[in-house]
Amino acid sequence: MTNPQWTAVDHYFTETIAPADEALTAALADSTAAGLPEIAVAPNQGKLLHLLASIQGARNVLEIGTLGGYSTIWLARALPADGRLITLEYSPAHADVARANIARAGLDKIVEVRTGAALDTLPHLETEGAGPFDLVFIDADKVNNARYVAWALKLSRPGTVIVVDNVVREGRVATPHPDDPAITGTREMFDLIAAEPRLDATALQTVGTKGYDGLLLARVIG
Ligand code: SAH
Ligand code: DHB
Ligand code: MG
């Protein structure tokens, strides 16, 4: 679902208060040239992630689902020079594009792209003691959303912020879709959060260049 007015307003917001620069523009262009799907967050959504990380005073960020590193760049730019961002990506081809984009943005000292299925690489983060993370951005295969939130909680501290992308899917989230693993996984995530006293959460519907979708925002309270 797209709408010319939503797109025009997103462009207005982006041009006025969330302008692209060379590294962001090139990250998207090279992702497209390499054949990656055009599903990165919109610029104003990337700016939201950046602001959330800044507001949080984040120094240690975890991202699940890198693609070409576009959201990674927005998040990493909010970190101090000695900050750290680990981003998990299943596809080695996507990870290669992301590493080049991140290096061009001058963020390769801060960002580490780890290849593999996140459910296989997350346990290593626990073993290494890589957490607790100050902010976790979940934007990978939606079927595993509940498992990713459970891992985010495991790698968290009181005050950790968790953001999950694409939780509305043109409104489909509101009703069960047994044939759609992405909706099923996202609804399992809402059930998990509803039953989890350590998480305080809300979710918002959004429209824009990415159509009709939304994001979930949670905070670990204990
Ligand atoms: N966060 C990116 C978009 C991510 S798109 C941005 O906004 O710029 C989703 C990514 O998750 C894709 O690159 C896909 O390959 C990856 N992915 C899919 N399944 C995964 C898994 N099991 N583990 C880790 N990454 C996965
Ligand atoms: C899809 C994934 C995303 O992360 C996104 O922002 C949009 C679409 C998808 O898998 O279709
Ligand atoms: Mg997404």
Side-chain angles (χ1 to χ4, degrees):
M1 192 190 302
T2 57
N3 172 310
Q5 198 159 32
W6 301 347
T7 302
V9 171
D10 256 7
H11 287 157
Y12 174 68
F13 289 162
T14 299
E15 283 159 16
T16 52
I17 58 171
D21 57 24
E22 153 65 17
L24 289 166
T25 304
L28 290 179
D30 282 11
S31 297
T32 301
L36 272 53
E38 295 185 341
I39 56 173
V41 293
N44 48 342
Q45 294 172 333
K47 185 74 180 281
L48 176 67
L49 294 172
H50 176 87
L51 286 167
L52 287 170
S54 298
I55 291 163
Q56 171 72 338
R59 309 180 67 84
N60 198 18
V61 169
L62 173 65
E63 177 178 67
I64 307 178
T66 315
L67 192 65
Y70 181 77
S71 54
T72 317
I73 293 171
W74 277 111
L75 282 165
R77 284 179 172 175
L79 304 185
D82 63 346
R84 189 173 188 216
L85 189 156
I86 298 177
T87 182
L88 309 180
E89 172 55 50
Y90 176 73
S91 158
H94 294 187
D96 284 346
V97 174
R99 287 190 190 99
N101 286 335
I102 289 159
R104 179 174 37 212
L107 295 164
D108 46 329
K109 299 269 191 307
I110 291 179
V111 176
E112 183 190 347
V113 183
R114 292 200 184 183
T115 310
L119 290 177
D120 294 335
T121 54
L122 283 161
H124 296 297
L125 297 181
E126 187 183 29
T127 324
E128 286 167 28
F133 294 97
D134 305 312
L135 185 148
V136 182
F137 177 49
I138 299 172
D139 190 20
D141 50 327
K142 316 307 174 190
V143 65
N144 283 315
N145 269 342
R147 284 171 276 271
Y148 293 150
V149 168
W151 267 107
L153 195 53
K154 202 178 287 194
L155 298 168
S156 74
R157 57 160 173 88
T160 292
V161 168
I162 301 170
V163 183
V164 186
D165 196 24
N166 312 118
V167 302
V168 173
R169 297 284 192 150
E170 305 197 327
R172 288 162 58 76
V173 72
T175 47
H177 284 75
D179 55 326
D180 184 339
I183 296 298
T184 303
T186 298
R187 289 175 61 88
E188 283 170 8
M189 177 194 73
F190 275 88
D191 290 342
L192 180 146
I193 293 172
E196 176 51 74
R198 290 173 296 166
L199 285 173
D200 208 10
T202 191
L204 293 176
Q205 305 181 64
T206 56
V207 296
T209 54
K210 295 205 65 187
Y212 170 35
D213 211 327
L215 58 86
L216 177 131
L217 181 64
R219 182 172 185 272
V220 178
I221 54 177

